[in-house]
Amino acid sequence: MAFSGGVDSTLLLKVCLDTLGRDNVLAVTAESETYPAEEIKGAEQLALALGARWRLIHTEELSNECFASNPSDRCYYCKRELFSKLRGIADDEGLKHVLDGSNLDDTGDWRPGMKAAKELGVISPLKEAGLTKEDIREISRELGLPTWEKPSMACLASRFPYGYRITPQELRMVGEAERFLRDLGFRQVRVRHHGRLARIEVDSSQIERLASKEIRDKVSSRLKELGYVWIAMDLDGYRTGSLNEARA
C-alpha cells in the first residue's frame, strides 16, 4: 500500500495490519524532490512503530516532461509513476492488491490522480467506506494513532500554479520556506510559489500572529534569503487546493 505517514494512510495501514496480518501487508513510501525529507523519516518511524513491513522507493516524476511542465492534470502523471511502481512491487511480493488512502473528501476537488488509480486497479478502502477526513481523524483518535491531529500534507508540486514549470531548485525553496514557518509554530501552512513572490497560507486562527511585526520581520528576512523578493499573506487563510480556484 502507498504509505505517506499522513492521517489517512496511517489509519489504513493500522486497519490492514489488524485485519490481514503483518505478512500480508507492505507499506511503501515514495521519496522524490516533491516531498519534504522530514516526512520520509517520519513515515519510516511510524510504519515500524505499527509493526509493519516498510519499503522506501524513489519516484522520478520530474524526469517526465508531462509532469515538470505542470499542466492541470499534473497529478495524473505523478500518480501513474507511483502506482505503476507499487503494482510491480505487489506482483513481485505476491500481494494481490495495491491500496491508497484517498477518502471521500477527495472526490470534491480536482483530483486527476484518481484516473491513474482507476487505470491501474488501485483500491481506496477509506473512500469506498464513505469516510471523510473528519471521520478518519476521529477514528484515529479513538485508536490512539499519533497522526489523528497531524496537519494535512500534499506534495510540494501543489504549491506551483498550473503552467509554471517545476524545478528541483524551486521545490527546495518552497520546502525550506514551509519548514521555517512550521518551526515558528505554524502547524498548517502552505507557501504558494509564484516565481519571486511567495503567497503564504496559514490557518485562519493564526493569521493575526503571522501579521504581527515580530513574525513578519522574521518571515520576510528568511524567505528573502531563500530567493523570494515579495512575500504576501493570503487573507483567506489555508484551504485545500487553493490553486485550483484559478483553474477555470
Side-chain angles (χ1 to χ4, degrees), residues 90-246:
D91 291 343
D92 291 343
E93 292 279 335
L95 299 171
K96 186 176 181 180
H97 299 295
V98 174
L99 312 181
D100 86 331
S102 298
N103 65 64
L104 190 63
D105 290 342
D106 293 326
T107 62
D109 193 13
W110 171 240
R111 302 278 181 167
M114 289 184 176
K115 178 183 176 183
K118 183 176 181 180
E119 290 174 351
L120 291 164
V122 175
I123 300 173
S124 304
L126 302 178
K127 182 175 67 176
E128 293 184 5
L131 295 178
T132 64
K133 178 70 81 172
E134 184 178 352
D135 296 329
I136 292 165
R137 289 191 185 279
E138 179 59 24
I139 295 170
S140 298
R141 186 186 66 80
E142 293 175 357
L143 291 175
L145 295 175
T147 50
W148 75 271
E149 59 178 351
K150 182 178 181 179
S152 298
M153 174 62 71
C155 89
L156 296 176
S158 66
R159 316 309 196 251
F160 294 73
Y162 296 127
Y164 187 102
R165 187 172 188 83
I166 300 169
T167 68
Q169 178 185 0
E170 288 173 291
L171 285 168
R172 287 192 293 272
M173 284 177 65
V174 171
E176 288 295 328
E178 291 191 355
R179 184 179 298 111
F180 179 75
L181 284 156
R182 287 194 296 271
D183 288 344
L184 288 176
F186 295 98
R187 295 184 69 253
Q188 189 69 76
V189 61
R190 295 288 186 270
V191 174
R192 306 297 184 183
H193 185 90
H194 300 269
R196 298 168 76 186
L197 184 148
R199 175 169 57 88
I200 302 171
E201 297 176 10
V202 297
D203 189 87
S204 58
S205 65
Q206 293 193 298
I207 287 178
E208 186 174 347
R209 178 169 180 260
L210 179 61
S212 68
K213 180 175 178 8
E214 178 186 3
I215 297 298
R216 283 202 330 264
D217 289 348
K218 289 180 180 179
V219 172
S220 178
S221 176
R222 177 57 180 146
L223 267 61
K224 285 179 179 179
E225 288 177 358
L226 293 173
Y228 291 107
V229 175
W230 303 283
I231 296 91
M233 178 175 63
D234 192 312
L235 297 182
D236 288 331
Y238 165 77
R239 65 264 189 214
T240 301
S242 70
L243 287 174
N244 288 332
E245 296 166 3

